[in-house]
Amino acid sequence: MKNLKLAARETKKGTVVDVSGVKVGRDFVVIAGPCSVESEKQILETAHAVKAAGADMLRGGAFKPRTSPYSFQGLGIKGLKILEKAKKETGLPIVTEVVDPRDVSWVAEFADILQIGTRNMQNFSLLKEVGGAGRPVLLKRGMHSTLEEWLNCAEYILREGNPDVILCERGIRTFETYTRNTLDLSAVPAIKELSHLPIIIDPTHSTGRISLIASMSMAAVAAGADGMIVEVHHKPQEALCDADQALTPDMFDDMMNRLRPLQSFLNSQPAASTAK
Ligand code: PEP
Ligand code: MN
């Protein structure tokens, strides 16, 4: 793929991003938590529940890029402090979104991974800023973007001297309306052919349907993904953001109980058969 210098497969063996001991690119990593940080009770309850079910990291947005300016926009610094408390209690590293280049340096003090959302994939000033932030970056695929455009955005971050980029396939816009987006699972093995960067999937924003999340997660494991990021809320019906697509802690636990045996089985197979 032309123009790629640092992200191209040929330049490096598989990148492993070490997030406080969680190794993205080596193990199948599960990031779970609510869409947005709403209250201390919500985050602490959810964090303890996902940890008990086997999650490796906690997600939660303190800054929410919403389609409508009248929707809940996130708690900002107050939300980050709540995430900090959850990390202290559970030990789970924090994944949280940053939307404004001016916020990157101080959000990085709370985040173990800085998330760049689909709507900001090509926000080049934001990409350059996170490239210099000294924190791993979770780069979501733009909902209208090709693999080449996406990898070029990773290249912007790598070029600033940050080697710790994790790609996230979160679904693309197609003519289908039954699902919120279309999960492009072929992106997983395709990215493995094109790049050394780890790739995880987001079964939540891609499907927008609770009933499809477990199946798509199992399919992602089989396709060779390095992990997943999934929305879990202690009381989904009360969520201020993406209420229809959040798993309950019980559903998450159930899914994890189905995922882990599949992973163990695939890990016991010769490497070539899992596309890694
Ligand atoms: C999110 O992770 O809550 C989110 C807004 O995701 P995306 O940018 O993929 O829509
Ligand atoms: Mn969401």
Side-chain angles (χ1 to χ4, degrees):
M1 199 166 262
K2 59 179 189 311
N3 293 331
L4 289 187
K5 293 194 173 132
L6 302 168
R9 171 96 248 167
E10 309 77 61
T11 62
K12 205 177 159 191
K13 268 189 82 185
T15 287
V16 175
V17 179
D18 190 330
V19 188
S20 308
V22 179
K23 301 224 167 34
V24 188
R26 193 194 69 182
D27 309 319
F28 188 87
V29 166
V30 178
I31 305 166
C35 184
S36 61
V37 181
E38 296 160 5
S39 69
E40 188 170 305
K41 184 172 173 355
Q42 170 234 18
I43 288 294
L44 295 181
E45 281 194 21
T46 307
H48 283 288
V50 299
K51 163 110 183 179
D56 302 292
M57 294 192 231
L58 176 68
R59 63 150 288 148
F63 297 93
K64 296 307 301 178
R66 304 303 300 279
T67 302
S68 163
Y70 306 112
S71 301
F72 177 61
Q73 303 284 310
L75 295 180
I77 178 113
K78 193 173 157 212
L80 294 172
K81 288 187 173 157
I82 294 173
L83 289 170
E84 189 176 44
K85 186 160 184 196
K87 180 180 171 179
K88 219 175 242 167
E89 285 197 10
T90 61
L92 294 174
I94 301 298
V95 182
T96 198
E97 182 164 356
V98 62
V99 297
D100 189 320
R102 293 168 298 188
D103 296 335
V104 168
S105 61
W106 65 269
V107 174
E109 289 173 25
F110 295 88
D112 294 286
I113 297 183
L114 290 164
Q115 177 176 326
I116 301 292
T118 189
R119 294 161 187 81
N120 272 317
M121 186 198 82
Q122 282 187 317
N123 181 337
F124 299 115
S125 44
L126 185 58
L127 297 179
K128 286 183 200 161
E129 203 62 38
V130 296
R135 281 278 182 275
V137 177
L138 182 65
L139 180 64
K140 288 193 145 192
R141 180 181 183 178
M143 63 182 91
H144 304 287
S145 301
T146 64
L147 300 184
E148 185 165 10
E149 288 162 342
W150 188 16
L151 286 170
N152 271 285
C153 291
E155 191 81 22
Y156 266 90
I157 301 168
L158 297 169
R159 212 177 89 94
E160 295 300 314
N162 187 345
D164 294 329
V165 177
I166 303 159
L167 300 167
C168 177
E169 161 60 40
R170 51 78 68 203
I172 49 176
R173 282 262 167 105
T174 67
F175 52 80
E176 184 53 70
T177 54
Y178 183 70
T179 48
R180 182 171 172 178
N181 290 281
T182 296
L183 178 65
D184 179 10
L185 260 186
S186 68
V188 173
I191 288 289
K192 295 271 169 209
E193 281 177 4
L194 295 167
S195 178
H196 54 81
L197 295 172
I199 175 167
I200 69 170
I201 66 119
D202 176 342
T204 305
H205 294 89
S206 50
T207 66
R209 284 184 179 264
I210 288 167
S211 59
L212 306 181
I213 288 175
S215 306
M216 289 298 94
S217 304
M218 310 271 276
V221 172
D226 296 297
M228 60 186 281
I229 180 165
V230 60
E231 287 187 355
V232 181
H233 193 290
H234 75 131
K235 285 185 182 153
Q237 68 284 4
E238 292 174 15
L240 295 178
C241 179
D242 286 347
D244 299 339
Q245 61 185 32
L247 300 179
T248 62
D250 279 351
M251 290 171 180
F252 177 66
D253 188 50
D254 217 52
M255 180 178 77
M256 292 295 277
N257 287 334
R258 292 167 63 192
L259 271 181
R260 295 301 188 198
L262 177 62
Q263 270 167 258
S264 310
F265 170 73
L266 290 172
N267 285 344
S268 70
Q269 300 301 301
S273 64
T274 61
K276 282 224 175 172

